[in-house]
């Protein structure tokens, strides 16, 4: 969940984008992969909270050799901002897939809470 506030004197809109990235991935992947976005309209002084949902597909890549989706174990960055170049909140989760290499596993475990590193005008309460 993300709380966003309009601290200005006029009504406005903001697009909030959620990215997932994995440092030291076993395969070539984008540094940041867009996993969700929301356009928010706010009146002056108004705040709204909304949620993004991340599932196992949010962390998966398609393995062309195995012809299946694969979730690589490890630390993933969770990034939230107005664009890929304007990241305002970031944190990290550790993902352990239940089985490898298939995406068909029923679930995966998030074993590390996302750390809130955001600005005071926006609060990231929980991503997973």
């Amino acid at each position: 969940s993300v709380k966003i506030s309009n601290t200005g004197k006029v009504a406005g809109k903001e697009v909030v984008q959620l990215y997932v990235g994995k440092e030291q991935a076993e395969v070539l992947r984008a540094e940041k992969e867009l996993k969700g976005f929301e356009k928010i309209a706010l009146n002056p002084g108004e705040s709204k909270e909304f949620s993004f949902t991340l599932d196992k597909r949010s962390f998966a890549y398609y393995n062309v050799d195995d012809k299946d989706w694969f979730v690589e174990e490890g630390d993933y960055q969770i990034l939230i901002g107005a664009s890929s170049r304007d990241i305002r909140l970031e944190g990290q989760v550790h993902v352990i897939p239940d089985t490898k290499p298939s995406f068909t596993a029923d679930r995966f475990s998030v074993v590390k809470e996302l750390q809130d590193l955001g600005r005071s005008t926006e609060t990231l309460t929980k991503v997973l």
Side-chain angles (χ1 to χ4, degrees):
S1 297
V2 176
K3 183 178 180 182
I4 187 167
S5 300
N6 181 349
T7 58
K9 296 181 182 180
V10 296
K13 294 180 181 177
E14 178 72 89
V15 176
V16 180
Q17 300 177 358
L18 179 128
Y19 295 87
V20 173
K22 180 157 187 354
E23 293 181 23
Q24 302 175 350
E26 293 178 11
V27 297
L28 182 62
R29 294 181 78 164
E31 181 181 324
K32 298 174 215 166
E33 299 173 7
L34 181 64
K35 298 299 180 176
F37 64 92
E38 187 79 31
K39 187 172 187 178
I40 306 296
L42 296 168
N43 291 316
E46 183 181 15
S47 294
K48 287 185 181 176
E49 188 170 320
F50 61 95
S51 296
F52 289 106
T53 300
L54 295 175
D55 58 14
K56 57 189 164 187
R57 186 73 173 257
S58 302
F59 302 97
Y61 68 88
Y62 188 76
N63 184 315
V64 294
D65 294 330
D66 293 337
K67 298 180 180 146
D68 202 356
W69 290 93
F70 179 74
V71 177
E72 183 182 343
E73 181 175 347
D75 294 330
Y76 288 80
Q77 298 297 314
I78 307 300
L79 309 161
I80 296 178
S83 72
S84 64
R85 294 183 179 175
D86 184 11
I87 300 299
R88 300 178 188 179
L89 297 172
E90 57 185 87
Q92 181 176 304
V93 294
H94 186 85
V95 175
I96 301 172
D98 282 348
T99 62
K100 293 182 183 178
S102 178
F103 176 70
T104 58
D106 290 333
R107 64 189 198 289
F108 62 90
S109 301
V110 175
V111 297
K112 185 172 182 183
E113 289 287 326
L114 181 64
Q115 300 168 351
D116 182 359
L117 303 174
R119 296 180 182 171
S120 60
T121 59
E122 299 171 5
T123 304
L124 179 63
T125 56
K126 187 177 178 185
V127 171
L128 295 175

